[in-house]
Amino acid sequence: MKLSTSGMGQPVHGGEKKCLNSELWHACAGPLVCLPTVGSRVVYFPQGHSEQVAATTNKEVDAHIPNYPNLPPQLICQLHNVTMHADVETDEVYAQMTLQPLTPEEQKDRYLPVEFGIPSKQPTNYFCKTLTASDTSTHGGFSVPRRAAEKVFPPLDFSQTPPAQELIARDLHDVEWKFRHIFRGKL
């Protein structure tokens, strides 16, 4: 069985691959998310998958999803590829996995897991904020709590009056955002 070495890319128009920032993806997914590594064995639950598809597409489970009566309730599979995605409209993150069911003979083969999954790459120091119009305007500034400004962002240039800096960030869809970070308050 040959394994894919393609890792965490996301196919986009024209066949090219677009990679999501893994650290940002994990920050959005949360600290409890741990993706399995390529080559590992996983258990696939077809019924649960059908129910999830029905729930996310607002369709009844039996209405448009084919029923496979001879399919076992769970399948031992080998993971060939994992791609991280983000919904364009909602920024909800999800992973798509390519699985290959193992034959009964392959399931009997001795298997030594390399590791139990990719540890969460959620950054330890990060700042999360719902943006407002004033955060992106040229007149205002990017308003953050002082603790976040001191721990997360690069130090301000205090030779300027008022102390300020330009922050450039990329979102999940690789769109660049520029903010003017200004110190307002007493030193």
Side-chain angles (χ1 to χ4, degrees):
M1 185 178 311
K2 205 146 165 61
L3 295 178
S4 166
T5 56
S6 61
M8 305 293 187
Q10 175 181 349
V12 292
H13 304 295
E16 65 180 293
K17 285 209 174 223
K18 177 183 176 188
C19 291
L20 289 178
N21 178 318
S22 177
E23 201 171 88
L24 180 56
W25 187 94
H26 279 87
C28 293
L32 300 178
V33 172
C34 183
L35 296 175
T37 56
V38 171
S40 61
R41 291 183 179 181
V42 297
V43 179
Y44 171 66
F45 298 95
Q47 179 66 34
H49 188 183
S50 294
E51 291 171 4
Q52 180 66 29
V53 168
T56 58
T57 58
N58 297 323
K59 294 181 182 175
E60 292 297 320
V61 176
D62 298 326
H64 296 93
I65 299 172
N67 185 12
Y68 300 102
N70 296 330
L71 194 61
Q74 68 263 351
L75 298 166
I76 307 295
C77 298
Q78 182 143 21
L79 179 65
H80 283 277
N81 192 34
V82 177
T83 54
M84 296 181 292
H85 299 271
D87 186 276
V88 177
E89 293 178 17
T90 65
D91 287 341
E92 180 180 8
V93 294
Y94 60 97
Q96 182 177 5
M97 301 180 191
T98 305
L99 305 175
Q100 180 178 2
L102 296 175
T103 64
E105 294 79 28
E106 289 172 323
Q107 290 179 34
K108 291 177 189 173
D109 291 346
R110 184 179 166 111
Y111 175 71
L112 297 172
V114 177
E115 53 188 80
F116 288 107
I118 301 168
S120 177
K121 294 181 182 174
Q122 184 171 25
T124 53
N125 283 326
Y126 66 97
F127 171 70
C128 185
K129 179 180 184 186
T130 302
L131 297 178
T132 63
S134 66
D135 290 326
T136 58
S137 74
T138 55
H139 304 322
F142 185 55
S143 177
V144 298
R146 183 176 182 151
R147 181 172 291 177
E150 291 171 349
K151 287 181 111 177
V152 178
F153 298 122
L156 286 169
D157 180 2
F158 283 92
S159 65
Q160 297 180 36
T161 306
Q165 69 179 329
E166 183 178 80
L167 296 174
I168 300 172
R170 292 191 180 276
D171 66 15
L172 281 167
H173 309 289
D174 206 31
V175 175
E176 189 175 273
W177 296 82
K178 293 182 182 182
F179 303 96
R180 186 169 173 236
H181 178 209
I182 303 169
F183 180 81
R184 288 197 178 116
K186 296 180 182 177
L187 297 176

